[in-house]
């Protein structure tokens, strides 16, 4: 019994052990399968998925020197170097950005840095004046910064013209692992010198064949030369940087015909030796051995790369136009791509970075890293990007551009608009007006980023570039929202760039009113889509208004009867309510109106550049009459007559003064001076018509008949005579410095005086004193009764396109010198009471009115000053350049801007 019990227990233990073993085996099998499955997942192809910023440092020095085409930074696997404005060179670790050391400036050579390069373990620094041909090269040990050698080289200053043959267009200095190459001449004979990187000693010198157009680029170990010689083929050659001997040479199948002259050529190479060569409209992509991989027509689309290939350049992903030739400067989409070439297929691949394409250049590359110089205004930087790998690239959902606005939205501007998607696949939509003369409204999705932060960085850089180079509309500016205007050869248009969340969108139209009206609507739609529940910041309303015309405003608005009459560069005459800016009427003259307009007796007179003079009813804008006549200079209306200058032909140095009946436009008489009238000035009309000339003579004419009554010789045969009438006295200046006072009724010359300097601007009279300014910025004060000199004030400087101007208020004369400073001078003594530096110098003004002095600087800021002290009361940023004189009326200051806006600002009186 006991034996049976023990046997049964033994069988149970054995069964339990077998079950436990089976369970363990099952766990092992499952674990093995899971590991195999996990290994299968990890074995999925890992491909480049994004460029991620790793580190960044300021690169505030100029990006090299233009004629040298030298960089202000250098990249190698051992170090990254960056030049500074202080003349030092920072050496950074390429992987981490850590600062290893700083190479100090040479106290014996304080000239700025004009270029830096890395040649294996040598740092090469060029120092010299940016406009000087002589450059001093320094060799420093890259590890310690110690100076190894110093050598002076001479390179030609002149940039060759595109029409030149026998010229070199590439970098004047190039550094490789095997030596330094210096092109000493830009024109033939093209002398090339090779230097040893460790000693700076010459190792070779050659002269390139004549009649060849040549450019070059450096790789890590060699120099590539692209040449086009007259009657010869387009050739790409490899040159040894130590011996200057050519290795391989490849003939490229250019379509350019030699009979058309040599094409423009360009060459881009990366460290590994991949090359893009361009000749005219032909593009070629070659590998390090010179093997042609593809042409522009074969590499027409940038695709996602499937492996590491060193970037060749930074640019837009859109690299082909309708003809299939490669482009690097297209404008859509917004971000830059780091574009590389597949060595097997010759196809281009690229991934985006978070900076606009037009602001970046590729500084260099090492394995899985690229270094990009970004020229963002006010924030030039060198940024290291690391290539991130993964099994799948992040996907972003792009909105339908035509769905971001609706027909109802457009109806707020005009009825009948219809959407038209872009035919080329771009995320763009054109809203087409019902009539041919309507304005097209275009909407483009510039980018959809994988993160809000990346989109914000991209938008911020683009907005900074717009504000630096363009005219903006400050009245609508808000975070993520910037409206601006663009003037191009083919027209003037308004635009708004908007960033909400991960998306950046741009709205453009030739109608700036449409842009101003629709941009906030578009922003609200984007907020509803990407930020539900978030509202745009409320606009802070201020007294005054602004009106968006469709071109730059260059002529002073005329304010009368509660209406502002203004003209813009597109030839439109606008009548606006002076208090609100509401449109009363608009009229298109058919051409640009640049010489002003005049309002008198219920009529607006305006002359366009296309040779049409119109008279419009001030109440309705309807034409009362028009006639074909090309007008030069400003219009003058007096005693029922309209006076103007014209030429036959338009380029003639002679000019004719014409008087028209102001009511009908009928010609009454004409008068042609005997000599040249190069720059017609407005006539002084009254009991006698007075006009100056460019041949030293002032004429007095009968207002009724135009017959010459008197003729005054007030200057030399080439002197320009400028006139100012005060009461019965005419003050006339000659460009050679003569100042005269003439009785307007009797013609008697009351006095003659002279200043030292050239006069190009009319004088000014106030408080019994005549003020005259010369072209050097000196203000002269003369007694108005006798012409006796009272005092003079010098404010010389280097202001280009300087024109003297002045205003008097509360015993102070306000004037801006060539030194870009506004001075408040005591009218009795000429002593300085106050000074205010103006960025860029004066643009318009000064104007004294209603207890305030107004002046604008060349950066578009309008200043309102206390007339007694000269202290600023307020500043207003116009967003463009103030191109009209300030007009003060009915409690408002009116001014026109290059951004197309007409502003009405409250006066800044006490």
């Amino acid at each position: 019994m006991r034996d049976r019990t023990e046997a049964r227990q033994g069988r149970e233990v054995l069964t339990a052990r077998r079950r436990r073993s089976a369970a363990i085996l099952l766990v092992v099998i499952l674990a093995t399968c899971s590991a195999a499955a996990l290994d299968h997942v990890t074995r999925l192809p890992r491909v480049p998925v994004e460029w991620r910023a790793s580190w960044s440092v300021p690169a505030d020095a100029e990006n090299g020197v233009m004629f040298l085409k030298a960089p202000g930074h250098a990249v190698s696997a051992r170090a990254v170097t960056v030049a500074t404005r202080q003349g030092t060179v920072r050496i950074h670790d390429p992987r981490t950005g850590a600062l290893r050391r700083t190479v100090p400036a040479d106290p014996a050579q304080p000239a700025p840095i004009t270029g830096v390069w890395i040649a294996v373990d040598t740092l090469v620094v060029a120092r010299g004046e940016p406009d000087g041909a002589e450059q001093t090269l320094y060799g420093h040990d890259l590890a310690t910064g110690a100076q190894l050698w110093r050598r002076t080289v001479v390179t030609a200053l002149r940039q060759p013209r595109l029409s030149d043959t026998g010229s070199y267009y590439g970098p004047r200095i190039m550094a490789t692992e095997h030596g330094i190459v210096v092109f000493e001449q830009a024109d033939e004979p093209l002398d090339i010198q090779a230097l040893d990187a460790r000693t700076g000693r010459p190792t070779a010198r050659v002269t390139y064949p004549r009649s060849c157009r040549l450019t070059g680029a450096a790789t890590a170990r060699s120099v590539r030369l692209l040449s086009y010689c007259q009657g010869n083929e387009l050739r790409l050659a490899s040159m040894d940087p130590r011996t200057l001997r050519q290795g391989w040479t490849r003939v490229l199948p250019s379509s350019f015909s030699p009979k058309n002259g040599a094409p423009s050529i360009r060459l881009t190479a990366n460290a590994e030796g991949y090359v893009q060569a361009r000749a005219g409209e032909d593009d070629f992509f070659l590998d390090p051995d010179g093997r042609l991989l593809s042409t522009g027509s074969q590499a027409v689309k940038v695709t996602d790369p499937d492996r590491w290939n060193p970037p060749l350049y930074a640019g837009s992903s859109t690299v082909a136009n309708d003809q299939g030739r490669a482009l690097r400067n297209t404008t859509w989409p917004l971000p830059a791509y780091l574009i590389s070439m597949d060595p097997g297929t010759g196809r281009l691949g690229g991934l985006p970075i978070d900076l606009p394409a037009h602001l970046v250049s590729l500084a260099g590359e090492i394995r899985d890293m690229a270094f990009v110089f970004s020229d963002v205004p006010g924030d030039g930087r060198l940024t290291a990007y690391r290539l991130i790998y993964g099994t799948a690239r992040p996907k972003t959902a792009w909105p339908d551009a035509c769905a971001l606005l609706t027909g109802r939205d457009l109806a707020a501007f005009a009825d009948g608009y219809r959407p038209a998607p872009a035919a080329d696949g771009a995320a763009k939509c054109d809203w087409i007006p019902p009539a041919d003369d309507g304005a097209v409204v275009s909407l483009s999705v510039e980018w959809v980023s994988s993160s809000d932060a990346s989109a914000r960085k991209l938008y911020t850089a683009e907005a900074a570039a717009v504000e630096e180079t363009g005219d903006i509309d400050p009245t609508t500016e808000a975070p993520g929202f910037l409206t601006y205007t663009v003037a191009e050869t083919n027209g003037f248009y308004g635009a708004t760039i908007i960033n909400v969340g991960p998306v950046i969108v741009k709205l453009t139209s030739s109608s700036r009113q449409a842009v101003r009206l629709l941009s906030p609507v578009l922003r609200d739609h984007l907020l509803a889509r990407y930020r539900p529940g978030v509202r745009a910041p409320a606009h802070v309303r201020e007294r005054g208004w602004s009106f968006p015309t469709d071109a730059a405003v260059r002529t002073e608005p005329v304010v009368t009867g509660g209406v502002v009459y203004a003209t813009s560069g597109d030839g439109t005459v606008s009548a606006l309510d002076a208090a609100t800016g509401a449109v009363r009427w608009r009229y298109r003259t058919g051409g640009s109106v640049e010489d002003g307009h005049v309002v008198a007796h219920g009529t607006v007179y305006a002359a366009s550049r296309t040779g049409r003079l119109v008279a419009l009813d001030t109440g309705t804008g309807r034409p009362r009459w028009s006639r074909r006549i090309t007008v030069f200079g400003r219009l003058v209306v007096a005693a029922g007559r309209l006076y103007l200058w014209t030429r036959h032909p338009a380029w003639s140095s002679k000019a004719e003064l014409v008087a028209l009946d102001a009511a009908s436009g009928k010609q009454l008489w004409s008068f042609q001076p005997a000599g040249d009238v190069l720059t017609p000035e407005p006539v002084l009309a009254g009991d006698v018509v007075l006009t100056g000339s460019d041949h030293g003579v002032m004429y007095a004419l009968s207002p009724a008949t135009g017959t010459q009554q008197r003729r005054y010789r007030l200057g030399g045969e080439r002197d320009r005579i400028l006139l100012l009438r005060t009461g019965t006295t005419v003050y006339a200046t000659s460009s050679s410095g003569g100042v005269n006072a003439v009785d307007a009724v009797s013609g008697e010359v009351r006095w003659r005086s002279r200043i030292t300097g050239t006069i190009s601007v009319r004088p000014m009279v106030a408080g019994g004193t005549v003020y005259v300014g010369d072209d050097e910025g000196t203000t002269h004060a003369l007694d108005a009764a006798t012409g006796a000199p009272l005092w003079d004030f010098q404010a010389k400087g280097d202001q280009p396109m300087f024109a003297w101007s002045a205003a008097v208020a509360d015993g102070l004369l306000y004037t801006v010198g060539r030194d870009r400073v506004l001075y408040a001078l005591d009218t009795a003594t000429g002593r300085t009471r106050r000074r205010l530096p103006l960025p860029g110098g004066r643009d318009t003004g000064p104007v004294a009115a209603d207890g305030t002095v107004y002046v604008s600087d060349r950066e578009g800021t309008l200043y309102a000053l206390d007339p007694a002290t000269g202290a600023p009361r307020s500043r207003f940023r116009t967003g463009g350049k103030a191109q009209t004189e300030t007009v003060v009326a009915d409690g408002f200051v009116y001014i026109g801007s290059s951004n197309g806006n007409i502003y009405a600002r409250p006066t800044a009186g006490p």
Side-chain angles (χ1 to χ4, degrees), residues 215-280:
T215 189
T219 71
R221 298 177 179 83
S222 67
V223 168
R224 300 288 192 262
L225 295 177
L226 181 66
S227 62
Y228 194 101
C229 303
Q230 283 190 341
N232 204 346
E233 302 96 346
L234 180 70
R235 292 178 180 270
L236 180 69
S238 174
M239 174 183 282
D240 187 311
R242 183 170 183 81
T243 65
L244 300 183
R245 294 172 185 161
Q246 289 193 4
W248 50 258
T249 301
R250 303 288 184 264
V251 176
L252 302 180
S254 175
S255 63
F256 207 91
S257 173
K259 67 181 181 180
N260 296 331
S264 60
I265 56 176
R266 182 187 299 176
L267 192 63
T268 304
N270 62 18
E272 295 192 17
Y274 290 93
V275 168
Q276 179 195 22
R278 174 177 296 180

Side-chain angles (χ1 to χ4, degrees), residues 744-830:
V745 179
S746 67
E748 175 190 359
V749 177
R750 292 179 174 172
W751 52 258
R752 294 178 184 270
S753 188
R754 178 167 291 278
I755 68 168
T756 56
T758 301
I759 302 174
S760 299
V761 179
R762 288 182 174 193
M764 190 196 72
V765 178
T769 303
V770 179
Y771 300 97
V772 183
D774 64 30
D775 290 355
E776 294 302 315
T778 300
T779 300
H780 304 262
L782 309 177
D783 187 283
T786 65
L790 300 176
W791 53 261
D792 63 67
F793 176 80
Q794 295 185 357
K796 296 183 178 181
D798 59 356
Q799 172 73 67
M801 302 178 65
F802 172 78
W804 179 85
S805 181
V808 172
D810 288 7
L812 295 178
L813 174 83
Y814 289 86
T815 186
V816 181
R818 289 201 68 170
D819 56 356
R820 300 175 173 85
V821 175
L822 173 69
Y823 292 95
L825 307 177
D826 189 296
T827 56
T829 64

Side-chain angles (χ1 to χ4, degrees), residues 454-465:
S454 178
R456 191 179 309 113
K457 180 180 177 181
L458 181 62
Y459 167 85
T460 300
E462 179 67 6

